[in-house]
Amino acid sequence: MKPLHLIASLVFLLISTWVVSSSERTVRGFQVTYYKLISPFIKAGSAFDQKTKLFFSEVQTSQQLEKRLVAIESEFGPLQATEARYKQIEAENARLRSALDIKTRSKFMLTSAKVVRRSPATWWETITIDKGGDNRLAPQIPVISEQGLVGKVDRVFNDLSTVLLLTDESCLISAKVDGTPEHGIISGQRGKYGEESLLRLKYLTNDISVPQGTKVYTSGKGGVFPDNILIGTIVSIETGALYAEALVKPSFNLDESEVVFAIVNDQ
Amino acid sequence: MIRYIFVCLALLILSAGIQQWTPELTSFCKAHILVIPLFFFCICHVQRYTTTLCFALIAGLMWDSEQILTAFELNIPDDEIKPVDNLRFGYSIFLFGIVGFYIKFIQAFLPFRGLLVNYINTFIALLLFILLDNFLILYVRGSLPLDGKFFLQIGNTAFFTSLISPLVYLILYLLWKPFQNGDQSIAGGLDSLLSNKL
């Protein structure tokens, strides 16, 4: 090895060691600078992706559109009746609440965000959304979609955030099984390459007996996620020596969700 | 030559942008196209050892900014906030350095060069990088699910990423050409790409 190469290797090792031992503030500085540099690419990529989807969704025959119209019209009538019934029940509920002097249940303050990047080139289960610190997002804020729980905010930049999906093993959620007193901790699983991501609900009692398809909700006991948000449905139960575990299919489908909601304030 | 280093640097930074547009190959065990490592390994083939180390530093910083989940603990005693078992920011610099060293080492001992050799070398470098990266993550996270699909994902990622390497070498060659011979047209001499110019 030439002397120059040796010196270069030593300098490289010194700088690398400094980076590895750098403080969180320095790391944060690196990440913010990096995301400032690449955010135009992420947004441009998202716009391109949307245009492509729009192009392919526009390529539909009139027959397909007619079929869809008929299907929607057939659903419209029953939905109108359901809405009328729902309004009736809501009014009745309000009357009864006021009669019993029960405080109204706290509501979420939601901020909608567009998914600008899915499945980046990392080994973690994350997505990137187009809202960040400018929109009052902060680390550990829960993120939901119309289908159910999505995950929690991880890294926050000015106009971008990374969301750690509930399918990642690092995302722990305190959960309860619908219609039972069972509570547990749910998390994603690793090593299921090419397969549908299933969640693992741990610490259930061994004598649990619930049918397949039973819903699992957040229990609100963990401190991060509010209660009663749908997580998924039970696929199977595995009993162990100390406790049982359930495999849960997440209700959130990454491919179908364009928009998610961050719970910025639980009033 | 110094201008060519800056061109390669610009290309490496640009690769971070291209990385954002690459999809996950769900049909192939969720394989990824790793653009930043690919550009780095290709650049290694056309730069000196000292420059390779500088580029390893930059590529490592970019890769970790992309990869590392939040390292900031909130100090909230909650069941749902688990410190993410993660590697420290900057570990990739060592990985890029090691693999960069490997490329230069192999190059020094190979009696012949050419696109095919570079392609094979890039594939091996990618495979080595992904394996080291995954083993480190698995070591930190504490379990080792070493099944066939795990290796299939790694193999697919290295394979599909390396498929793009001829294109990167072509870009590097086209950019190198004007700095070597100003009066030649950039498009000229593409045939020599297949011989021993790179």
Side-chain angles (χ1 to χ4, degrees):
Chain A
M1 192 178 244
K2 290 177 189 171
L4 179 68
H5 290 179
L6 196 68
I7 294 165
S9 302
L10 284 172
V11 172
F12 172 75
L13 281 174
L14 277 173
I15 297 173
S16 309
T17 313
W18 172 75
V19 174
V20 170
S21 57
S22 56
S23 65
E24 285 175 5
R25 184 177 286 222
T26 317
V27 172
R28 177 85 182 150
F30 279 129
Q31 286 191 317
V32 167
T33 312
Y34 177 77
Y35 269 82
K36 264 186 191 164
L37 277 172
I38 63 158
S39 62
F41 288 94
I42 295 176
K43 284 173 183 170
S46 168
F48 176 73
D49 185 46
Q50 272 199 326
K51 277 181 187 168
T52 316
K53 276 183 184 164
L54 194 69
F55 173 77
F56 283 110
S57 66
E58 276 175 358
V59 187
Q60 286 183 340
T61 61
S62 56
Q63 277 182 329
Q64 282 175 315
L65 288 171
E66 206 176 317
K67 272 183 190 173
R68 269 189 71 186
L69 185 67
V70 171
I72 289 167
E73 275 177 347
S74 64
E75 282 172 15
F76 185 66
L79 279 175
Q80 267 189 322
T82 311
E83 193 198 3
R85 175 85 182 125
Y86 166 74
K87 278 183 179 167
Q88 210 178 8
I89 292 168
E90 197 180 28
E92 191 183 330
N93 190 24
R95 272 200 312 276
L96 289 170
R97 274 182 183 280
S98 65
L100 291 168
D101 198 24
I102 295 173
K103 281 184 183 173
T104 314
R105 197 165 159 268
S106 62
K107 283 179 182 172
F108 298 146
M109 183 85 89
L110 300 175
T111 294
S112 66
K114 204 166 75 178
V115 179
V116 291
R117 187 173 61 160
R118 298 148 204 269
S119 311
T122 68
W123 308 115
W124 319 115
E125 300 266 347
T126 59
I127 54 169
T128 308
I129 56 173
D130 69 341
K131 294 281 165 68
D134 293 345
N135 307 91
R136 297 196 299 148
L137 261 67
Q140 307 293 343
I141 275 182
V143 178
I144 58 172
S145 76
E146 55 191 20
Q147 296 159 330
L149 190 67
V150 174
K152 61 182 177 182
V153 174
D154 183 65
R155 291 175 297 188
V156 180
F157 306 97
N158 288 344
D159 56 351
L160 283 175
S161 298
T162 307
V163 177
L164 185 67
L165 298 178
L166 64 110
T167 45
D168 192 280
E169 62 175 322
S170 316
C171 192
L172 302 180
I173 304 154
S174 181
K176 63 183 179 187
V177 181
D178 190 29
T180 70
E182 295 285 345
H183 281 75
I185 299 282
I186 203 164
S187 67
Q189 295 185 95
R190 192 197 324 152
K192 298 290 171 191
Y193 308 105
E195 289 174 19
E196 189 182 36
S197 298
L198 290 178
L199 313 170
R200 192 167 279 273
L201 177 58
K202 295 176 183 171
Y203 312 118
L204 302 172
T205 55
N206 259 334
D207 55 349
I208 183 172
S209 172
V210 286
Q212 199 180 359
T214 305
K215 287 180 176 166
V216 177
Y217 293 94
T218 54
S219 71
K221 289 183 176 174
V224 172
F225 300 98
D227 61 341
N228 293 321
I229 300 174
L230 181 65
I231 297 173
T233 49
I234 289 179
V235 175
S236 63
I237 303 259
E238 295 168 4
T239 50
L242 295 172
Y243 53 82
E245 293 184 356
L247 286 177
V248 178
K249 186 184 174 188
S251 58
F252 167 65
N253 188 342
L254 187 61
D255 297 326
E256 288 173 10
S257 297
E258 293 287 333
V259 177
V260 293
F261 306 94
I263 303 175
V264 289
N265 189 16
D266 195 2
Q267 284 181 327
Chain B
M1 195 60 195
I2 192 90
R3 279 185 297 169
Y4 188 55
I5 293 173
F6 282 109
V7 167
C8 288
L9 178 65
L11 211 59
L12 185 66
I13 293 168
L14 188 71
S15 71
I18 302 168
Q19 181 73 75
Q20 313 311 317
W21 292 353
T22 54
E24 185 187 65
L25 306 172
T26 39
S27 307
F28 298 96
C29 291
K30 291 188 176 178
H32 294 105
I33 305 287
L34 308 181
V35 184
I36 298 172
L38 174 71
F39 272 70
F40 170 73
F41 299 142
C42 290
I43 288 167
C44 280
H45 283 87
V46 296
Q47 290 293 348
R48 292 197 180 102
Y49 176 70
T50 44
T51 323
T52 295
L53 290 182
C54 294
F55 277 59
L57 193 71
I58 295 158
L61 284 176
M62 292 199 306
W63 191 242
D64 280 352
S65 299
E66 178 87 30
Q67 289 260 6
I68 299 287
L69 297 178
T70 187
F72 320 109
E73 298 305 326
L74 290 178
N75 298 322
I76 304 170
D78 267 320
D79 295 339
E80 287 169 342
I81 300 174
K82 172 194 171 192
V84 178
D85 296 327
N86 213 342
L87 291 159
R88 278 198 71 85
F89 185 90
Y91 82 98
S92 293
I93 298 171
F94 289 105
L95 286 188
F96 278 111
I98 290 165
V99 183
F101 178 80
Y102 154 79
I103 289 170
K104 299 317 287 180
F105 183 80
I106 291 289
Q107 260 194 331
F109 283 91
L110 278 178
F112 45 86
R113 292 184 191 179
L115 187 63
L116 185 65
V117 177
N118 286 353
Y119 170 75
I120 294 167
N121 212 12
T122 307
F123 173 74
I124 296 168
L126 276 164
L127 205 60
L128 188 67
F129 174 79
I130 302 164
L131 273 172
L132 285 173
D133 194 21
N134 269 276
F135 281 136
L136 279 172
I137 292 167
L138 294 175
Y139 173 74
V140 168
R141 286 198 164 187
S143 65
L144 218 61
L146 297 177
D147 56 358
K149 279 180 179 165
F150 170 79
F151 288 108
L152 207 57
Q153 188 196 28
I154 285 173
N156 280 338
T157 301
F159 176 71
F160 286 109
T161 305
S162 63
L163 277 183
I164 309 165
S165 68
L167 183 68
V168 181
Y169 283 118
L170 179 68
I171 294 166
L172 284 169
Y173 175 74
L174 290 174
L175 292 169
W176 167 81
K177 202 68 181 148
F179 297 114
Q180 291 300 310
N181 229 336
D183 57 349
Q184 275 194 18
S185 104
I186 288 176
L190 282 180
D191 52 331
S192 57
L193 180 74
L194 299 167
S195 58
N196 60 355
K197 286 290 180 188
L198 289 172

